[in-house]
Structure formats: structure tokens, C-alpha cells
Amino acid sequence: MALRLGDLAPNFTADTTEGQLDFHEYLGDGWGILFSHPADYTPVCTTELGAVAKLKEEFAKRNTKVLALSVDGIESHKGWISDINETQNTSVNFPIIGDEDKKVSELYDMIHPNSNESFTVRSVFVIGNDKKIKLIITYPASTGRNFDELLRVIDSLQLTANYSVATPANWKQGEDVVVSPAIKTEDIPAKFPKGHKVIKPYLRMTPQPDL
């Protein structure tokens, strides 16, 4: 059965390039990104893993760990990492699961037979600190992911988890946010003392509350 937003992220134990790990233990009390790759030594994935390695500090600021997956084995991964480090001018600094038996791929429905019967699609799962799935994005094998967008989404998810707000289209850190419809307009000043703007009765904006 396909996973949905709000579901508990299934736990698993897997061999990785940094040893065996328990997924929930690896995440600890933080957030996480689990993302899959069709296979080792593929060009788009090589650029993606390099991009993620360069963003480690940004993920760390958000208390977020990353974990990659490919259906190839650990020894293959290690050879591939050398290529990634060389070609992307970085150092892979997060674990990659060797999922040769496809146990994790099937658990997270990462194999879409009509796309490819044996390789994973480019799945992304963002997991909250409550171990629940907050975001699912699936890309075709031909399209590289935008990891700046994932950082933006994590900023939004973490903000909206703690305040009664939502983030509008194309929102970025520091911009105004939408006041939750559940809050009455007359109650906004007490909850959001930085001020607010009523555009429509159902569309009220306020400065980002955690800055």
C-alpha cells in the first residue's frame, strides 16, 4: 500500500556506506530526507549526490539528516563515491543504502514498474521529528532534483509546525506568511504582534513570526 502524508515513516535496518543503521535511530530527534537513485554510475545522480554533499551545513542548520539509496551494492557505491568526489569537487558526507534485495525500495514504493521494472525512480521523502512523512516528491529518472527547493520546503514545514501559519506560493525564508484560517481576524494582533494585512477575509498576511 502506498505511503501517504502523515503516515509513520516505516522503520528499517540497512547496510550503508557508513555501516549498518537503523533508520529511526539515525534520525534521532531530528528531521530527515530519504531519497533514491535509479542506479550507481548514472550521470544525473552523480550531480545530485554532489549537490547534497555541498549542502550538508544547510541541512544541519535545520536539524536534518540525509540518507540516499540505490539498488546497487555497497562496494559499487564506494567506487561511485570516488567518482562523485572527483567530478563534483566535494566529499560525500552522508550514508548511501545498498538495497540490492530491494527491501527498502519496496517498503517505500520506490519502484514504479511502468517506468522501470528494476530500478528506483527518484523518490524523495521528508520525515519530521515525529517520524511522520511530511513530503513526498517523485521525479522521473531523467530530471535532476532541486535541492534548494527541498531546503525551502523544510523551512516551511518547520515554521508551520510551530506557528499557526502557512506559506504562500514561492515563499522564501524571511518573507510574509499566511495566517491560518482557523484564527479569527480580531485575534491576530495577540498572536502575531508584528502586524498583519487583510487582503481578503480568508487571506491575511503577517511577517514571518520566528524572525
Side-chain angles (χ1 to χ4, degrees), residues 63-81:
N63 194 23
T64 300
K65 291 182 176 178
V66 295
L67 180 61
L69 173 148
S70 166
V71 294
D72 291 317
I74 299 300
E75 289 309 308
S76 173
H77 287 356
K78 289 179 178 176
W80 185 30
I81 284 171

Side-chain angles (χ1 to χ4, degrees), residues 93-172:
N93 43 30
F94 53 88
I96 306 174
I97 296 169
D99 195 35
E100 290 181 286
D101 60 5
K102 300 183 175 66
K103 180 182 75 173
V104 180
S105 302
E106 290 171 357
L107 188 63
Y108 277 80
D109 195 28
M110 292 171 167
I111 295 175
H112 295 192
N114 290 331
S115 174
N116 191 302
E117 290 186 1
S118 56
F119 296 126
T120 56
V121 291
R122 285 195 169 86
S123 298
V124 183
F125 295 86
V126 174
I127 316 296
N129 55 1
D130 56 2
K131 303 296 185 292
K132 291 184 178 178
I133 297 170
K134 306 297 183 184
L135 174 81
I136 302 171
I137 307 177
T138 302
Y139 293 78
S142 57
T143 302
R145 284 165 279 211
N146 183 332
F147 290 95
D148 289 332
E149 166 65 2
L150 284 181
L151 290 172
R152 189 190 77 86
V153 168
I154 291 168
D155 285 340
S156 171
L157 288 167
Q158 293 182 346
L159 174 67
T160 58
N162 294 314
Y163 296 89
S164 300
V165 296
T167 55
N170 302 321
W171 174 87
K172 295 189 292 294

